[in-house]
Amino acid sequence: MRIAYLDCFSGISGDMFLGALVDAGVSPKLLQDTVAALDIGARLEISRVLRGGISATKVDVYAHGEKDLPREVFWEQQEQDHAHQHSHGRGLNEVRRIIEKSAISSTAKATAIRIFEALGDAEAEIHNTPVEQVHFHEIGAVDAMIDIVCAAVGAESLAVEEWVCSPLNVGGGTVKCAHGTLPVPAPATLRLLREAPVYSSGPQVELVTPTGAAIVKTLSCRFASFPAMKIEKAGYGAGTREFPDHPNLLRLTIGEVGLADDADASLIASPTSNERIMNEKMINEKIMVLEANLDDLSPQVLAYAMERLLAEGALDVFSVPVQMKKSRPGALLTVLAKMEDANRLTKLIFAETTTLGVRRREEQRQTLSRRSQTVDTTWGPVRIKIANMNGSVSNYAPEYEDCRALAEAQHVPLRTVMQEAIQQYLRGERKA
């Protein structure tokens, strides 16, 4: 299974996350094309910088020719210009419309909208107002729109199956924002980080921004120390400020994990043994199974609900025809969820279906070690999903969404794209 680990020893912000993505291998062109697709008068500038002597990628957003600023600097300038009295920002509905009409994948759109909804929910709770009436101030400005949508697109391109995050260093002191000077963490950040492990160390400034906190929350990160993995690559995203004796960086590490929970520690010490364990051992994990019987729901609504559940992070969703009491035809909806997502997905089932109750139970799941490999076809790149068992490939399949996007863009049959992707993968295996 491919995982990503966010090391937030200097917090996290939107631009730091983008820098880490690019440094870890996400194509700069992909992010630049995403900015162009939004069509909101912005561009990216990507550069190499040093933070504490460590080389990192810095991503800056230019909106209408002006570079984005840390928000306290932004609001200090607004105070001097008195411009903040006339700037109301964007509402959530406007943000949704901009994202929905952009030419990015449906999954990335859903992720970006969920990040904004998380921000909106936090602001609405803090200000005791309906979320539809929340205006995002600097969060709804062009630079944050770019940060959030590019974060969704870049995270999707990594094909990571699980995000893990370290405890977050929130910084300290105070921060100047739209509602005055407030203690760190700012109220929205504090709300978004509810139940997350945090601490304060180093520079007495804001290190975790609301956008950064919303990204961590929306990616459904599991919080843990550095996990056991076979490291594939790592990247560093740079923050705007430079601090003495404190590298202002976000580190992103990507790798394959397949170690059983009871793996012998003495074997792990040997790289050869470690590789063998990762290939041969199945992954054991605890999941939550959610079920609901539905007998009065339109099939179209059920299909939409299943799509929403998958977009919101369900591991799997399926329905089975059943015969209910009084011989009514119905459907049994089943959702497989990570333990930490169960409550959120239960609320979604209630919101999107007519059920009056959701059953839940914990189950153990064993999965094969999986990885992703990209092959080049006549029409563009396609990711191949590969499963290993007993040290050899047991299954492989082209990523459906990649093949579908190429088929639609190039006007060729979907089966043709999928067949060529498999042929290219097998050709590469024979050469290896």
Side-chain angles (χ1 to χ4, degrees), residues 7 48 68 73 118 260 286 296 308 314 326 359 361 375:
D7 212 333
R48 301 295 301 175
D68 65 318
V73 177
K286 186 180 292 186
D296 56 353
R308 279 290 314 278
K326 299 183 181 179
R359 300 181 297 279
R361 64 180 182 274
V375 299

Side-chain angles (χ1 to χ4, degrees), residues 9 83 249 337 369 386 394 404:
F9 60 90
L249 298 168
S369 177
I386 305 163
S394 61
R404 174 178 173 172

Side-chain angles (χ1 to χ4, degrees), residues 17 24 46 73 83 95 97 139 142 153-154 174 184 233 236 242 250 258 301 303-304 315 325 347 352 357 389 418:
F17 186 71
I46 301 174
V73 177
V95 168
R97 284 194 296 269
I139 296 172
V142 172
V153 171
T174 59
V184 170
K233 51 192 171 184
Y236 292 88
E242 293 190 59
L250 171 69
V301 176
Y304 175 78
L315 298 171
K325 61 184 179 183
K347 292 178 182 177
E352 296 291 352
M389 184 174 182
M418 297 179 78

Side-chain angles (χ1 to χ4, degrees), residues 293-429:
N293 287 17
L294 308 168
D295 65 355
D296 56 353
L297 188 66
S298 161
Q300 293 94 334
V301 176
L302 175 57
Y304 175 78
M306 293 172 69
E307 291 175 2
R308 279 290 314 278
L309 287 161
L310 287 169
E312 291 289 338
L315 298 171
D316 199 4
V317 181
F318 56 91
S319 67
V320 178
V322 294
Q323 187 169 344
M324 306 194 38
K325 61 184 179 183
K326 299 183 181 179
S327 298
R328 291 195 300 261
L332 171 61
L333 175 66
T334 303
V335 180
L336 306 186
K338 297 177 183 177
M339 300 296 290
E340 61 267 27
D341 294 339
N343 289 336
R344 180 168 54 84
L345 293 178
T346 298
K347 292 178 182 177
L348 183 58
I349 293 172
F350 281 124
E352 296 291 352
T353 74
T354 54
T355 189
L356 300 178
V358 175
R359 300 181 297 279
R360 60 167 59 194
R361 64 180 182 274
E362 293 183 10
E363 288 194 3
Q364 288 293 127
R365 184 173 80 151
Q366 289 185 317
T367 59
L368 296 177
S369 177
R370 288 169 284 177
R371 59 188 174 89
S372 178
Q373 176 180 320
T374 301
V375 299
D376 291 321
T377 71
T378 304
W379 307 279
V382 173
R383 287 170 293 169
I384 305 292
K385 298 178 289 186
I386 305 163
N388 288 345
M389 184 174 182
N390 296 328
S392 61
V393 173
S394 61
N395 194 17
Y396 53 86
E399 181 64 54
Y400 168 75
E401 292 295 344
D402 292 357
C403 295
R404 174 178 173 172
L406 292 177
E408 291 178 345
Q410 303 295 331
H411 305 290
V412 294
L414 175 62
R415 288 188 303 168
T416 302
V417 179
M418 297 179 78
Q419 288 167 358
E420 179 166 332
I422 292 173
Q423 290 170 359
Q424 292 293 343
Y425 167 70
L426 293 175
R427 191 172 293 123
E429 288 295 294

Side-chain angles (χ1 to χ4, degrees), residues 8-325:
C8 301
F9 60 90
S10 190
I12 181 172
S13 62
D15 61 326
M16 292 172 75
F17 186 71
L18 296 189
L21 289 174
V22 172
D23 213 45
V26 171
S27 166
K29 185 176 184 302
L30 174 65
L31 301 189
Q32 289 162 348
D33 289 346
T34 300
V35 174
L38 287 172
D39 191 25
I40 53 175
R43 65 179 177 87
L44 292 182
E45 184 175 281
I46 301 174
S47 58
R48 301 295 301 175
V49 298
L50 289 176
R51 293 290 184 267
I54 298 174
S55 178
T57 297
K58 181 74 176 76
V59 176
D60 290 304
V61 179
Y62 282 79
H64 306 295
E66 295 185 4
K67 183 178 177 181
D68 65 318
L69 300 169
R71 64 174 180 164
E72 61 268 32
V73 177
F74 171 83
W75 285 109
E76 285 174 1
Q77 291 187 1
Q78 292 289 82
E79 281 186 349
Q80 294 171 5
D81 299 337
H82 304 288
H84 69 294
Q85 296 175 1
H86 309 287
S87 177
H88 301 290
R90 288 187 172 94
L92 185 57
N93 288 335
E94 182 183 356
V95 168
R96 284 197 188 103
R97 284 194 296 269
I98 293 172
I99 295 173
E100 287 289 358
K101 72 177 184 180
S102 64
I104 61 175
S105 75
S106 58
T107 304
K109 286 179 183 178
T111 301
I113 289 171
R114 279 163 44 212
I115 295 173
F116 265 108
E117 287 175 342
L119 287 165
D121 289 343
E123 292 283 356
E125 180 177 308
I126 291 163
H127 301 300
N128 193 27
T129 185
V131 68
E132 293 78 12
Q133 296 180 18
V134 170
H135 284 83
F136 289 100
H137 303 289
E138 74 271 28
I139 296 172
V142 172
D143 59 320
M145 284 281 293
I146 298 301
D147 284 346
I148 289 170
V149 178
C150 285
V153 171
E156 179 189 38
S157 74
L158 287 178
V160 167
E161 295 174 70
E162 182 181 27
W163 288 84
V164 187
C165 186
S166 72
L168 297 108
N169 183 2
V170 296
T174 59
V175 61
K176 190 179 292 292
C177 54
H179 303 287
T181 300
L182 297 167
V184 170
T189 304
L190 198 62
R191 171 62 182 82
L192 288 161
L193 294 180
R194 187 176 292 172
E195 298 184 4
V198 302
Y199 65 98
S200 176
S201 178
Q204 292 299 289
V205 297
E206 181 182 55
L207 296 181
V208 177
T209 67
T211 301
I215 289 171
V216 168
K217 179 181 176 68
T218 305
L219 290 177
S220 302
C221 286
R222 171 170 63 88
F223 295 99
S225 57
F226 201 98
M229 71 168 86
K230 184 177 180 181
I231 296 173
E232 177 186 331
K233 51 192 171 184
Y236 292 88
T240 300
R241 293 187 181 85
E242 293 190 59
F243 306 121
D245 304 321
H246 183 93
N248 191 18
L249 298 168
L250 171 69
R251 185 171 68 181
L252 169 62
T253 307
I254 299 167
E256 294 284 338
V257 60
L259 290 171
D261 293 337
D262 58 352
D264 187 342
S266 65
L267 291 176
I268 296 175
S270 163
T272 303
S273 298
N274 187 39
E275 183 174 356
R276 176 174 59 80
I277 293 169
M278 293 185 74
N279 284 333
E280 296 182 3
K281 295 287 187 179
M282 288 184 287
I283 302 166
N284 294 283
E285 59 182 340
K286 186 180 292 186
I287 62 170
M288 187 71 75
V289 179
L290 308 174
E291 289 184 342
N293 287 17
L294 308 168
D295 65 355
D296 56 353
L297 188 66
S298 161
Q300 293 94 334
V301 176
L302 175 57
Y304 175 78
M306 293 172 69
E307 291 175 2
R308 279 290 314 278
L309 287 161
L310 287 169
E312 291 289 338
L315 298 171
D316 199 4
V317 181
F318 56 91
S319 67
V320 178
V322 294
Q323 187 169 344
M324 306 194 38
K325 61 184 179 183

